[in-house]
Each structure stands twice: as C-alpha cells, then as structure tokens.
Amino acid sequence: MDRDSARLSRRGTTGSAPLLWAVAVAVPLGFLGTFFAWPVIALVVRGFLPDGMLDLTGFTEVLLRPRTWQLVRFTLTQAVLGTAFSVLLGLPLAYLLYRRSFPGRSLVRGLVTVPFVLPAVVVGVAFRTLFAPGGTLGFLGLEESLAGIVVALVFFNVSVVVRTVGGLWERLDPRTEQAAASLGAGPVRVFRTVTLPSLAPAIVSAASVVFLFCATAFGVVLVLGGVRYGTIETEIWIRTTQFLDLRSASVLSIMQLVVISGALALSARARRRREAALRLVSARGSARRLSWRSPQDVTMALVGAAIVVGLLVLPLAGLVARSFREPDGSWGPGNYVALGTTGERNALVVTVWEATATSLRIALTATLISLVVGGLVALVVSRRPRSPGARRAVGTLDGLFMLPLGVSAVTVGFGFLITMDQPVLGVDLRTSGLLVPVAQAVVAVPLVVRTVLPVLRAIDPRLREVAAVLGSGPGRVLRTVDLPIALRSVGLATGFAFAVSLGEFGATSFLARPDGATLPVVIYRLIGRPGAENYGMALAASVVLAVLTATVMMVAEQLRDERAGGEF
C-alpha cells in the first residue's frame, strides 16, 4: 500500500471513530435513563405529585408516624454498628492476607470473598439456624435481635474491607515503617503513626461502601428481624406487597435516598481530606512470610483464624449440617429429595429445581446485559481525552453509572413496578421475560464497571496510538489491544455479575411471578410457610444456592491477576 492509500485508510477509520464512540456512550445512557432514572424519578413524582399536583400531605403523614422514626433510627444504628465491626475485624484479616504469605493464602482469600456474593436470603437463613433455640449458638439469645442482625451484616461485608484495604496495604512501601521502627517506635506506634494514616483513604472508602450495603440490607433484616425489627428498606417492601400503600412506600424511598446520599457525600468529603500521595510498590513479592517467632504475627494469625472460623465458616457449616436434619429428627437427605416437590401443603407453585433453572436462566441473561452495558461504560471512561471539557464529561459518565450502588434494589424493583406497566420501545417487558433480568442487570452493571475499568485504565495509551498509526480502526484496536489485556478482568466481572444476579432478592421479590419465581424468592416463601418440611426444604435450597454462587465466585477468583483487581 502506498502512502496516499495508507493516509486515506487512516482517514476513513478515523472518520468512523466519532460514530462508534457516540454509540458506545448512547447505549449505556439509554439503559441508565430508561431502567434506572425513569423508575427513580417516578417514585419521587408519586411522593410529591400523587394526583398531578404538588401535595406534601403524604410526607406529613409518614413523618408524623412514630414508626417511621423508629425505622430510621434502627436503619442508622444497625448500619453504623455493622460498618464499625466490619472495619475492626477486616483490618487484621487484611494484614494477614495481604502483608503476610503462608501456605493456602489464596484459598483463604477466596473463602473470605465468598460471603460478599452469597445471597442475602442464604445469609439470613444460615444465621437464623445458628441463633435458633436448638442451634449451635442458641444459648446466646440472639434470635430476632439487633446483635444477631449486626453479626450477619459483618459476615456479609467484612470481605469488602479486606479487599479494599488489603489491596492498598500490600502495595505500601515497607521502608517507611522500617524507618520508624529503627528510630525506636514499637509495632503499635508504627501502625498508629505511619500505617494507619496511609490506609485512611482506603478505610474510609471501604467504610462508606459497607455503610451503604448495611443501610440498604433487605434479605438479612427481613429473615432475622422478625416482626420486632425493620428498616426503611423492609418497610418499603411491606407497604407495597402487603398493604398496597404505594404512596407511603414512595415517601420512604425518597427518605432513604436522602439518607444514603448524605452519608455518601460525607464519606467522600472525609476521603478527600485524607488522600495523599503514597509511595507504592509492586504487589508481587511485597508480602513477608508469616513468622511464628514474631508475637505480632502470631497474634494476627490467631485473631484471623478466629474471625474466619467463628464468623465465616461456622454459620455456613451449621447451615449445611442442619439441612440434613429431617422433619422427624433423623439425619438423612430427605430435605434434598423434597426439593423436587412443591412443599408441604403445596407451599410453592413450582418446585425448587424448577426455580433453580429459572434463576440460572435469568442470571445468564442479566449477566450478558450487564457485560454489554458495563463494558461500554468502562471502555469510554477509561479514555484520557486531552480536552478539559471531555475529561469532565468522562468523569460525569463514570459517576452516573455508580448511582445504582447508592440506590437499593428494593427501590429499583418498586420503581419498575410502577413504571413498566407499559411497553418500552414497543416491547412489553412484563410478558417478554426480560423484566427481572433487566432489573438484576441494573444492580450488576456498577460491579462490572468497577472490575474492568482499572485494567483498561492501566493500558499504555501509546499501544492504541501505534495500532491506529498502522491503519487499525477503532474496532480492530479494541480487539487486538484492549480485549487481550482486559480478558481476565472481563472473566472476573462475568463471575461477579452472574453470582450477584443469581442471588438478587430485593428487586426480584417485587417482579417475579409465582410461576417464574427465582431460588431466593422460593427460599423466603418456604421460610414464611408453616411446617417442618417447608423449613427443611428452605435449608436445603439455601445450601444449593450457596454452592452455586460460591462455585461461580471461586472460578472467577482464578481469573484474577495483579492487574485485575476491582475497585470496591
């Protein structure tokens, strides 16, 4: 090819680039606007404009109820306690798993990650079994208590702290700590004056995410709280599904948005105040071998083992053991055999195995949707445009697609319930089978973005420039440069999206029909029906769901390398 033809070829590929990037931006924005912004705005409108005119009597009525402020107080209390204990227990584990090396460390890392992707209903059932009068910890009296709910929330969220703080901790330059120690500072003082200030941004970031998850906890509180305890989240669900009080549910949703937005704004401000330039090193080889001669290492190892066994292993082991206890008190696989039935007194419309197949099918569809949308978002916001205006636009797009993390799945499901009663782009989602997968994809998209984006941002832009100079169009650059490097993180994002969709309960509980119920919905229905056989089936079904999500997550963990660390 001569120079003129090469120049024309590059001009042609360059001319098509703006159209491709426009499509890459328009598709995610259309998805976010249709399936997130529209339902949330509809909630706000229903709360402020119930009959098309401004009417604040609904707010006055809800705000004057003593129960409303009890719900707000309990929501904040359990969120603050859950966050505090998650940080306190997560720091020793982060030190042990990221600053020290020992045989089986990768396995323990994977085990610590599993609770984060376990369905909330499974976590609730596991701790309910543990705290029941006949359970392993029944003597503690934690059944339907604030302490029991907080313990379950810590189980669920401690891995967020371990991942976020540990990822930075293993990259801190140890020479700063060594210099402080050589000047006579003891281990506690070194940690307090050197290590802790360096970790502060990661700790604040992790705490804000954990607070968000605790404040919007649904399945755990619904299963463990009983009639005594509830949050804004559970009250929205009760007002909608049991009382058909959509106006009060809308007002509560708006209150929840205000509380969460305020908390996230405060955490972002605190994080910015603590951010500072740090000297980082490669994660490879940064961990020192665990020494049994060091009192500090021995203490951390014992504390870490107690946390892993007592907090993470014991609930799941108790759930598995209890699932083999048959209704007549004998031990055997009877509860698992019963999964092929509709339960005692036909408690279900479909069998548990049929619900499992439905869950897998829906999760697969939701994963494909979230990968397409999240992949496009990550691709666009990973670019570094020279124009200040373009850089601000990229930053805004990144922030917009993190909004679903700040809005609960129950609110998303409720918004779908009141907006998707008419066709969208000529498609009736209620009869197409796409309503539940789309709602689950809204929840999973931010996780896909946070997993793929760091890898794409780490790619040297000169690689793309060289490929473009050699005549490669945008599509070929993406296929030959970006995709091979990001492939591992895409596999990890697939695992996260599939596991989260498989166990999603908040939005699905609003939208799934009885004949199309997913596994988490079926488990909750079995818990709420009388009869020992139904409860035994719920335990067995919870084990099945836990095994599925854990397997998906453990396989995805094998795809993680040093560059594929997601941001949580």
Side-chain angles (χ1 to χ4, degrees):
M1 180 181 293
D2 58 26
R3 292 181 180 180
D4 292 338
S5 58
R7 189 181 301 112
L8 289 174
S9 176
R10 289 196 297 270
R11 185 180 302 170
T13 57
T14 303
S16 64
L19 178 61
L20 293 176
W21 287 115
V23 172
V25 172
V27 171
L29 283 179
F31 180 85
L32 183 73
T34 303
F35 300 114
F36 177 74
W38 179 27
V40 171
I41 292 173
L43 282 176
V44 176
V45 171
R46 185 174 287 267
F48 283 101
L49 307 169
D51 299 316
M53 299 181 62
L54 182 63
D55 184 1
L56 300 180
T57 56
F59 274 88
T60 305
E61 179 184 346
V62 172
L63 293 177
L64 290 179
R65 293 175 187 163
R67 177 172 173 78
T68 299
W69 296 108
Q70 292 174 1
L71 294 169
V72 172
R73 184 164 52 250
F74 181 79
T75 299
L76 295 177
T77 299
Q78 55 96 26
V80 170
L81 291 176
T83 302
F85 283 104
S86 294
V87 172
L88 288 176
L89 298 181
L91 288 178
L93 279 179
Y95 172 85
L96 190 64
L97 296 177
Y98 287 87
R99 294 293 286 182
R100 293 294 179 263
S101 63
F102 53 89
R105 185 177 68 160
S106 299
L107 179 63
V108 178
R109 279 190 183 184
L111 179 63
V112 171
T113 304
V114 166
F116 176 69
V117 295
L118 281 181
V121 174
V122 171
V123 175
V125 172
F127 279 92
R128 181 173 176 172
T129 303
L130 196 65
F131 296 148
T136 306
L137 300 181
F139 64 93
L140 295 177
L142 297 180
E143 187 180 30
E144 294 189 8
S145 67
L146 171 61
I149 293 173
V150 170
V151 170
L153 292 176
V154 174
F155 167 89
F156 206 69
N157 293 297
V158 71
S159 61
V160 177
V161 179
V162 174
R163 283 287 183 187
T164 305
V165 178
L168 175 62
W169 206 339
E170 73 173 338
R171 289 172 170 81
L172 289 181
D173 191 340
R175 289 176 293 182
T176 308
E177 297 173 345
Q178 294 166 0
S182 66
L183 293 175
V188 175
R189 188 175 181 183
V190 170
F191 177 77
R192 181 172 54 84
T193 60
V194 178
T195 308
L196 192 58
S198 300
L199 295 177
I203 293 174
V204 173
S205 178
S208 64
V209 174
V210 172
F211 181 88
L212 168 67
F213 290 148
C214 291
T216 58
F218 177 59
V220 169
V221 179
L222 197 64
V223 174
L224 295 178
V227 297
R228 185 179 176 186
Y229 294 103
T231 61
I232 299 176
E233 187 94 345
T234 59
E235 187 70 7
I236 294 170
W237 185 80
I238 291 172
R239 286 285 166 186
T240 304
T241 60
Q242 298 184 14
F243 297 102
L244 297 178
D245 186 1
L246 300 185
R247 189 177 185 184
S248 294
S250 300
V251 174
L252 290 170
S253 297
I254 295 171
M255 289 182 62
Q256 185 184 50
L257 287 173
V258 171
V259 170
I260 293 174
S261 300
L264 292 179
L266 290 175
S267 67
R269 182 179 179 183
R271 184 171 63 251
R272 285 194 299 269
R273 286 185 173 183
R274 288 166 172 78
E275 285 177 344
L278 299 174
R279 180 179 295 175
L280 303 180
V281 297
S282 172
R284 295 183 179 180
S286 63
R288 183 168 60 84
R289 181 171 292 277
L290 186 68
S291 173
W292 294 107
R293 296 181 179 180
S294 167
Q296 179 182 349
D297 283 7
V298 171
T299 301
M300 287 296 186
L302 293 176
V303 171
I307 294 172
V308 171
V309 175
L311 180 65
L312 304 182
V313 175
L314 184 60
L316 296 178
L319 174 65
V320 174
R322 183 65 179 81
S323 69
F324 286 97
R325 191 72 176 266
E326 299 189 4
D328 60 0
S330 62
W331 295 91
N335 292 328
Y336 290 90
V337 174
L339 297 183
T341 70
T342 55
E344 189 175 350
R345 299 177 184 176
N346 290 323
L348 304 173
V349 177
V350 296
T351 68
V352 172
W353 296 125
E354 290 172 339
T356 302
T358 300
S359 291
L360 292 171
R361 184 178 65 254
I362 290 175
L364 180 60
T365 305
T367 300
L368 292 175
I369 296 172
S370 60
L371 283 177
V372 172
V373 176
L376 289 175
V377 174
L379 185 65
V380 172
V381 302
S382 66
R383 266 41 186 180
R384 301 179 180 88
R386 294 188 178 91
S387 168
R391 286 198 298 269
R392 285 194 296 269
V394 167
T396 301
L397 185 65
D398 188 13
L400 285 176
F401 276 90
M402 292 303 104
L403 286 178
L405 279 181
V407 178
S408 71
V410 167
T411 300
V412 173
F414 181 28
F416 270 52
L417 191 67
I418 65 176
T419 57
M420 299 300 165
D421 56 347
Q422 50 187 309
V424 178
L425 299 178
V427 178
D428 189 347
L429 295 178
R430 296 170 302 174
T431 59
S432 66
L434 291 175
L435 191 62
V436 176
V438 168
Q440 292 181 357
V442 171
V443 178
V445 162
L447 296 178
V448 173
V449 176
R450 291 295 97 185
T451 304
V452 178
L453 182 58
V455 182
L456 290 177
R457 280 180 172 166
I459 297 175
D460 191 338
R462 290 174 296 183
L463 295 176
R464 303 187 184 105
E465 293 172 358
V466 169
V469 168
L470 293 175
S472 298
R476 188 173 182 182
V477 171
L478 175 64
R479 187 176 66 254
T480 58
V481 177
D482 293 75
L483 188 58
I485 296 177
L487 194 57
R488 284 181 178 269
S489 66
V490 171
L492 182 62
T494 302
F496 267 119
F498 192 85
V500 169
S501 300
L502 193 63
E504 205 286 317
F505 178 60
T508 308
S509 63
F510 280 94
L511 305 174
R513 298 191 304 268
D515 59 346
T518 61
L519 196 48
V521 174
V522 162
I523 292 171
Y524 182 73
R525 287 177 182 171
L526 286 170
I527 294 175
R529 298 292 191 275
E533 182 179 338
N534 289 333
Y535 188 69
M537 288 177 60
L539 298 179
S542 297
V543 172
V544 171
L545 185 53
V547 169
L548 286 175
T549 52
T551 301
V552 170
M553 204 57 232
M554 294 297 282
V555 171
E557 272 295 310
Q558 301 304 313
L559 300 175
R560 181 185 292 273
D561 61 2
E562 182 178 352
R563 295 170 303 177
E567 298 176 358
F568 290 106

